[in-house]
Amino acid sequence: EVQLMESGGGLVQPGGSLRLSCAASGFTFNWYWMSWVRQAPGKGLEWVANINQGGSEERYVNSVKGRFTISRDNARTSLFLQMNSLRPEDTAVYHCARIDISGSTFDYWGQGALVTVSS
Amino acid sequence: DIQMTQSPSSLSASVGDRVTITCRASQDISNHVAWFQQKPGKAPKSLIYAASSLQSGVPSKFSGSGSGTDFTLTISSLQPEDFATYYCQQFNGYSFTFGQGTKLEVK
């Protein structure tokens, strides 16, 4: 059974940093692109970042470029999101998601980690 | 960036009804559209990929169609567990965007 479990969320002040982790199990982790998708309270879904199987290619939504860094550790079957210079508008539940083998959508999602940016 | 315009934003229906939700892309995206169901406090669930292919384990009452810029999700014979928020999603070869969501409520 595919499982994705996020951790590391919490309350942080504007301008602060936070690192999210996602522990993956139940599939061959290094076969898949992985992604982070967020959802602000009461709002819709927003794709944040992708990383390829080997970690050599990263893609970001414009609003987080230069502030967020996605990475992975295939030996530990884990995905990470380093978030710096956080803004109140980054407040959201952050979901780890597996990108399907076609590369065009998300087939499995974690329950998410809440990040709150507030003073 | 490609925008996905989803309509309606909310929809009231009764058990047993058939409903259709639409998404329009701001440019041609071939069949790179997926549909998700989300219930409050839960992760999204994949229903449809490649515009019309049903994800494994998803009942056949869910169907998708379309190509190019116009796409639809149809749910037949609504049951109580189908009342949720639905999102479309596109992929343009580099990035992903979602529609604004359709909240399907009990009439």
Side-chain angles (χ1 to χ4, degrees):
Chain A
E1 179 192 6
V2 172
Q3 291 194 335
L4 300 168
M5 187 171 299
E6 302 90 343
S7 60
L11 174 63
V12 61
Q13 291 189 336
S17 298
L18 209 57
R19 188 188 195 219
L20 300 181
S21 300
C22 171
S25 61
F27 65 102
T28 306
F29 184 70
N30 62 7
W31 284 8
Y32 292 86
W33 282 73
M34 296 295 296
S35 186
W36 290 97
V37 178
R38 67 185 178 183
Q39 187 167 32
K43 302 296 184 183
L45 300 165
E46 180 184 39
W47 165 74
V48 174
N50 281 353
I51 189 166
N52 72 344
Q53 292 91 334
S56 61
E57 186 173 350
E58 303 162 29
R59 299 173 181 173
Y60 300 91
V61 68
N62 285 340
S63 59
V64 308
K65 279 181 184 174
R67 301 189 299 123
F68 289 14
T69 302
I70 189 171
S71 62
R72 65 192 294 162
D73 184 334
N74 286 341
R76 293 164 52 195
T77 65
S78 294
L79 178 72
F80 306 100
L81 186 67
Q82 177 67 43
M83 303 182 291
N84 299 331
S85 302
L86 282 160
R87 305 166 179 167
E89 56 265 33
D90 296 317
T91 294
V93 173
Y94 285 73
H95 295 277
C96 166
R98 190 179 84 170
I99 295 174
D100 78 351
I101 210 70
S102 76
S104 65
T105 188
F106 313 97
D107 58 357
Y108 288 94
W109 299 64
Q111 287 300 310
L114 176 62
V115 173
T116 303
V117 185
S118 174
S119 54
Chain B
D1 290 354
I2 296 177
Q3 307 302 316
M4 295 294 280
T5 302
Q6 186 173 342
S7 61
S9 56
S10 64
L11 180 56
S12 294
S14 301
V15 171
D17 283 355
R18 172 187 169 107
V19 298
T20 297
I21 299 168
T22 65
C23 260
R24 174 164 287 176
S26 57
Q27 61 191 77
D28 190 329
I29 52 172
S30 183
N31 72 335
H32 297 308
V33 164
W35 291 92
F36 297 88
Q37 177 193 68
Q38 188 179 34
K39 297 182 178 178
K42 300 295 187 182
K45 175 186 176 183
S46 177
L47 300 174
I48 301 284
Y49 65 97
S52 60
S53 296
L54 203 62
Q55 277 287 2
S56 175
V58 174
S60 58
K61 63 194 268 177
F62 293 95
S63 63
S65 65
S67 66
T69 60
D70 294 311
F71 302 89
T72 61
L73 172 71
T74 299
I75 313 169
S76 62
S77 187
L78 282 171
Q79 296 302 304
E81 61 269 21
D82 300 328
F83 291 93
T85 300
Y86 292 85
Y87 294 93
C88 61
Q89 168 255 307
Q90 71 79 30
F91 176 65
N92 65 355
Y94 180 88
S95 62
F96 301 83
T97 49
F98 292 88
Q100 304 94 315
T102 296
K103 187 173 184 179
L104 178 56
E105 299 175 305
V106 179
K107 185 183 287 184

